[in-house]
Amino acid sequence: MSRWIWCPLLLLLCEVHSQVENRVVFLPGAFQNVSVSQNETVQALVSRIPPEVCFITLQFHTQHRNATLSYTRMPGLGLSLTAVDSGLLSSLLPGQASLSLFLSSPDGDTVTGTGVILPYSSTDPVPGACNMESNLDLDPNVYILYNLYETTIRFAPANLGYERGADPPACDQSTASTTRWRLLYDVYQYFLPENDLSERSLFTGMQSVADIQGVMDNSKLVMTLLSTDMSTAAFNSIPGQGVIYSVIVRDPLLNTSASYVPVHTYACSFASTLDGCHTLGKVSTKIFFTITGLAGLFVCFFGHRFFKCGDLDVFRRSDVVFWVTFCCIMVIVPLVFVRWPREGNILACGVVGAYAVILAVNAYIYTSLSFITLNILKRFLNNNYSAVFTDVPFQLIDYIMITVWVVFGVGGVVLQLYRERSRPFFPPSPYLMWLQERERRTTNVLDPSHHFPPLPNRLLARARQLTKRMEPAGEHTPLLL
């Protein structure tokens, strides 16, 4: 059994605790790494609980393997939870100073994770105390689901705090300001380092956002939900990018708060080959985006001679606030360059072509800039995507890619302006050239083509030749005597 040694900063004297056989000791606020072997149940012992603490939450996190956290040694319905991010909330009795919970591996494999105990007083809200959906009576967990388009989280409503041994306040008898309906829910988002699927990165992130202060200092507040709102939130799915979602419930009257058990996702599976986290960059995808990048370079530096500005003329009728704005931008930008069509076309080729290079790089190294187009495509394909919060991480690789985008874009625009300085103002369209050629043939009597019969007459004459009876070959003049 592995041994983990740690020194809580809250204690004046450094205390050393280790995971002994089938037992691990937790102190409030101190993280403890735990390894659960096959067919083993580890007792999580919480000791030295201060008398002012009325309830505690024990949360345990693994990267992708399920772990079972239970009130009893033998997990049972309503007494345990199996997940990669699991937590249990325990109300304390008067005089209670210790507590035991149990960890086990449901799949028969060794599971390694990190856990922490968080204490709360009687004035703090109780996360998930008004649970009406899951089997747990008190459910402080955040549940997560994801698909190709969106990642959705949900959680059970909280209740007001109460003293040890007292009856909890009623959840739904009244909606007055003295009930749980005054509570507010802050939803936070924390991005793990890009291109980092390591267990160490996840555990470090979890330790950064486990408690209330860590969440507020390190995460981004994305929305605040009222008690009258649905306790759900939707976000943009970012396959391969680790994200931690946290929920803090606040009591604005008492100015107190409590944290739900944070949950993480990579929007992909570590075990599946269909949406596997390690198989996102398939060879076919890389080849496609490499070709896209090469085409983007061509458009960036030479696109003016081959492409012209166009409009987006097909869109879904759903999510009309967004599409009206999108189409207005598509119309207004070309109107700005009506006075300078060649410069506008060169600028468009430079910007779009350089961005195609960014998309090619995204097939090998993740960058958030690809979601400039992916989010529009998702909104086009999914009717409900308008309700999704579409924030993405912006880290070092993204700054580098923006620099590459600017360098290629500016370089392409400058090169095309230099090449086009002595050429015709703007290449005429093929249709206009065809009209001019037809007019020239009609009016120029010196042009041999002017004497050609019209196309219908030529076709009719050709048909007559094919159907005309052939004369026999031979002498047709009379014999001379």
Side-chain angles (χ1 to χ4, degrees):
M1 187 70 65
S2 300
R3 294 182 175 270
W4 306 88
I5 300 177
W6 44 273
C7 299
L9 298 179
L10 298 179
L11 301 180
L12 295 177
L13 297 177
C14 180
E15 298 186 17
V16 179
H17 295 268
S18 61
Q19 179 180 339
V20 298
E21 189 70 22
N22 298 330
R23 182 183 176 190
V24 61
V25 179
F26 283 90
L27 287 179
F31 271 89
Q32 176 77 3
N33 294 330
V34 181
S35 178
V36 183
S37 301
Q38 181 180 1
N39 299 325
E40 177 189 25
T41 298
V42 175
Q43 180 185 15
L45 178 62
V46 185
S47 60
R48 290 195 241 168
I49 303 176
E52 63 272 14
V53 175
C54 292
F55 64 94
I56 63 171
T57 58
L58 170 60
Q59 51 181 272
F60 187 71
H61 306 278
T62 67
Q63 187 178 36
H64 60 90
R65 296 183 184 276
N66 286 332
T68 298
L69 187 59
S70 175
Y71 289 108
T72 58
R73 184 172 294 273
M74 294 298 296
L77 184 63
L79 299 175
S80 63
L81 179 67
T82 300
V84 293
D85 300 294
S86 56
L88 292 179
L89 187 147
S90 298
S91 299
L92 301 177
L93 299 175
Q96 184 178 358
S98 63
L99 179 70
S100 291
L101 298 173
F102 299 90
L103 282 166
S104 59
S105 174
D107 301 324
D109 298 326
T110 300
V111 176
T112 301
T114 185
V116 66
I117 287 287
L118 297 180
Y120 297 99
S121 67
S122 60
T123 59
D124 297 325
V126 184
C130 288
N131 170 46
M132 300 295 290
E133 297 181 2
S134 67
N135 294 322
L136 295 174
D137 292 334
L138 304 174
D139 192 355
N141 294 277
V142 178
Y143 297 91
I144 192 166
L145 293 174
Y146 72 88
N147 56 31
L148 178 63
Y149 300 100
E150 62 184 1
T151 297
T152 304
I153 64 170
R154 63 177 179 86
F155 52 92
N159 200 355
L160 300 179
Y162 51 93
E163 297 287 345
R164 289 195 185 193
D167 293 330
C171 288
D172 296 317
Q173 286 185 355
S174 172
T175 59
S177 59
T178 58
T179 65
R180 62 104 176 172
W181 293 94
R182 71 176 187 235
L183 299 178
L184 302 176
Y185 302 88
D186 294 333
V187 181
Y188 288 84
Q189 189 179 44
Y190 176 84
F191 290 107
L192 297 175
E194 293 177 327
N195 302 313
D196 192 345
L197 301 178
S198 65
E199 189 179 72
R200 178 182 179 183
S201 174
L202 172 64
F203 289 175
T204 302
M206 281 297 180
Q207 294 177 12
S208 300
V209 299
D211 58 1
I212 298 173
Q213 193 60 44
V215 171
M216 297 175 63
D217 292 341
N218 301 302
S219 300
K220 179 179 180 180
L221 176 63
V222 293
M223 65 183 70
T224 298
L225 301 176
L226 305 177
S227 293
T228 54
D229 297 329
M230 295 291 293
S231 55
T232 61
F235 301 86
N236 181 30
S237 288
I238 312 175
Q241 170 63 50
V243 189
I244 300 176
Y245 297 100
S246 305
V247 178
I248 293 179
V249 53
R250 294 187 291 113
D251 188 339
L253 182 62
L254 301 179
N255 195 26
T256 56
S257 58
S259 175
Y260 281 76
V261 177
V263 64
H264 78 281
T265 182
Y266 296 91
C268 58
S269 172
F270 280 82
S272 173
T273 58
L274 181 61
D275 62 341
C277 296
H278 298 289
T279 59
L280 291 175
K282 295 181 179 179
V283 175
S284 58
T285 304
K286 292 181 178 181
I287 293 176
F288 171 77
F289 279 105
T290 301
I291 296 175
T292 301
L294 295 176
L297 283 175
F298 179 81
V299 173
C300 179
F301 291 98
F302 307 100
H304 173 66
R305 304 305 297 182
F306 300 91
F307 298 95
K308 298 180 180 179
C309 299
D311 298 323
L312 181 66
D313 55 0
V314 178
F315 58 90
R316 300 179 69 94
R317 286 182 291 178
S318 63
D319 197 14
V320 177
V321 176
F322 175 80
W323 290 115
V324 170
T325 304
F326 183 80
C327 291
C328 288
I329 295 175
M330 295 293 294
V331 172
I332 291 175
V333 172
L335 287 178
V336 173
F337 291 96
V338 166
R339 176 62 181 83
W340 308 279
R342 178 169 61 180
E343 288 76 10
N345 183 261
I346 290 176
L347 181 63
C349 291
V351 173
V352 175
Y355 179 72
V357 178
I358 304 301
L359 290 180
V361 174
N362 183 73
Y364 300 89
I365 301 177
Y366 173 84
T367 170
S368 298
L369 298 181
S370 60
F371 285 90
I372 295 176
T373 55
L374 290 180
N375 282 345
I376 296 177
L377 180 61
K378 288 181 179 180
R379 191 182 292 265
F380 180 81
L381 297 174
N382 191 346
N383 292 333
N384 300 322
Y385 196 73
S386 58
V388 173
F389 187 83
T390 57
D391 193 21
V392 293
F394 205 80
Q395 302 180 15
L396 178 61
I397 184 63
D398 301 300
Y399 289 102
I400 296 176
M401 288 296 100
I402 283 184
T403 304
V404 174
W405 190 359
V406 172
V407 170
F408 276 104
V410 173
V413 170
V414 171
L415 177 62
Q416 292 190 81
L417 288 175
Y418 177 79
R419 292 178 65 252
E420 300 295 325
R421 69 187 189 283
S422 59
R423 297 191 179 187
F425 178 73
F426 203 91
S429 67
Y431 177 71
L432 181 60
M433 296 178 64
W434 177 77
L435 289 178
Q436 293 175 349
E437 181 67 15
R438 188 181 67 170
E439 183 67 19
R440 183 185 66 81
R441 290 178 177 179
T442 303
T443 58
N444 187 7
V445 297
L446 298 179
D447 192 336
S449 63
H450 177 74
H451 304 284
F452 289 170
L455 180 60
N457 294 344
R458 295 201 302 269
L459 294 177
L460 183 60
R462 179 60 178 169
R464 288 176 177 174
Q465 291 179 0
L466 295 176
T467 58
K468 186 177 180 181
R469 182 174 176 272
M470 300 297 295
E471 294 291 339
E475 184 63 49
H476 295 279
T477 58
L479 289 174
L480 297 177
L481 298 177

